[in-house]
Amino acid sequence: DGKPRITVDRPGDTRLSPQIRSEPLANAIRAIPYDLLMNFVGRPQLLDKDDLKTRPYVVGMRDQHIVGSDANEIYAQKLGKPAVGTRYTIVHPGEELRDPDDGDLLGYIGYYAGIAQVVDPRGSTGIKDDVTHLMVVETGREILQGDKLFPTQVDIGNDFVLSAPKNQQLNGQVIAVVDGVHVAGKFQVLAINRGKRDGLEPGNAVAIFERGEPVRDRYERGSLGWREYSTNYKKVQLPDERSGTILLFSVHDRMSYGLVVESTHVLRRGDLIAHPAYGHRDVGTRDFVGR
């Protein structure tokens, strides 16, 4: 009748049946917050003593700067003649990592300092063939003379599969609290003196135990107070108590790095490590890999 009309064309009925539909999750939630580990993942963490002697290093900085930061220009030795635009990760050698069991030097902690990009492989004049001119494009801390350079490789890899160590008799110690502090809490990084040769792998959860301290039993003989103090009182060793859990994200032959995912007390260098099945559950903590 001269007016627009809408009609539905139905060639026939379609029968729908339930079915499973799946698609990849590009942004799946990871087991641990990766933003806390970006200064570690894909970057050198354990520096070998012999490698440090020959590794390229920061020899100086432009404009007489003592420390380097974003957009600063630096100079490096022993890089050879890399292509313009090549990127290098700058790592600051930290404290020694020694195995308390035998005193062996395991290596040095590598602290991520930044990323620099080659501006000129031979310097501006080309006179100094062994000096490479770079521009700092990213920093995680101050860059210092003597810091080492490594080829940049940033690959966060696959997610960790949470698991308990296969070795039920696992025992060892915390040998370092990363970032130069003396105590650690949740979401900080610890180094332990156990690794691949002890059956550990990335994704393992490891329990941390605070060492029990020795105390004098001044009441063993029926004493009524401290006034009857004597140097002959019997010493009683208090038990080691569970204080936290770490998830290992980087495992080397004789040592590993782990992220603290749970803590009820401060964690320190020298604390003990064991299988997560050991240790009682403190009030207010969640069950992490079963206890």
Side-chain angles (χ1 to χ4, degrees), residues 13-264:
D13 293 334
T14 301
R15 187 175 185 84
L16 300 178
S17 300
Q19 66 181 29
I20 296 177
R21 294 178 174 84
S22 63
E23 61 182 14
L25 293 177
N27 298 314
I29 298 174
R30 290 183 174 268
I32 54 178
Y34 265 59
D35 58 321
L36 300 172
L37 296 181
M38 284 312 298
N39 284 355
F40 292 90
V41 178
R43 293 165 180 166
Q45 306 144 15
L46 180 64
L47 307 182
D48 180 79
K49 177 182 65 174
D50 296 330
D51 183 43
L52 288 181
K53 294 179 180 179
T54 58
R55 175 65 50 184
Y57 60 93
V58 176
V59 69
M61 303 176 199
R62 191 172 180 177
D63 298 327
Q64 300 181 354
H65 286 170
I66 299 175
V67 299
S69 186
D70 287 337
N72 284 166
E73 297 175 54
I74 64 174
Y75 299 94
Q77 287 271 41
K78 298 184 179 181
L79 276 182
K81 294 180 176 60
V84 174
T86 304
R87 292 194 169 195
Y88 290 91
T89 298
I90 305 170
V91 177
H92 178 74
E95 58 267 29
E96 292 182 345
L97 291 176
R98 289 189 177 272
D99 192 334
D101 291 345
D102 51 23
D104 285 353
L105 178 63
L106 304 178
Y108 298 84
I109 290 182
Y111 292 109
Y112 168 72
I115 294 177
Q117 181 173 290
V118 174
V119 175
D120 193 316
R122 299 189 304 168
S124 298
T125 61
I127 297 176
K128 294 292 185 180
D129 290 345
D130 55 344
V131 175
T132 302
H133 183 188
L134 304 99
M135 173 71 73
V136 179
V137 296
E138 177 185 315
T139 55
R141 55 169 288 162
E142 69 277 6
I143 298 171
L144 302 174
Q145 188 176 18
D147 286 352
K148 308 299 181 179
L149 278 74
F150 295 79
T152 295
Q153 297 177 350
V154 179
D155 180 12
I156 62 176
N158 297 324
D159 195 13
F160 298 111
V161 177
L162 184 62
S163 60
K166 297 178 182 178
N167 182 6
Q168 288 278 343
Q169 306 304 316
L170 177 68
N171 65 84
Q173 297 183 39
V174 175
I175 57 176
V177 177
V178 179
D179 289 335
V181 293
H182 298 288
V183 297
K186 191 173 182 179
F187 294 152
Q188 287 185 272
V189 176
L190 302 178
I192 64 174
N193 67 330
R194 295 292 182 266
K196 293 178 181 177
R197 73 174 190 177
D198 305 289
L200 296 178
E201 57 187 27
N204 281 167
V206 176
I208 306 295
F209 289 80
E210 181 181 11
R211 289 178 180 268
E213 60 181 346
V215 297
R216 293 183 181 276
D217 185 356
R218 300 176 181 174
Y219 296 87
E220 179 189 17
R221 305 173 185 173
S223 168
L224 297 180
W226 58 268
R227 291 181 179 84
E228 299 182 32
Y229 175 80
S230 168
T231 58
N232 295 324
Y233 284 132
K234 178 182 178 182
K235 284 189 177 181
V236 176
Q237 180 69 40
L238 299 183
D240 304 326
E241 294 290 355
R242 184 162 177 172
S243 55
T245 305
I246 63 172
L247 189 147
L248 303 183
F249 63 86
S250 178
V251 179
H252 301 270
D253 185 45
R254 296 184 58 183
M255 63 83 60
S256 304
Y257 287 105
L259 181 73
V260 179
V261 292
E262 173 191 54
S263 65
T264 57

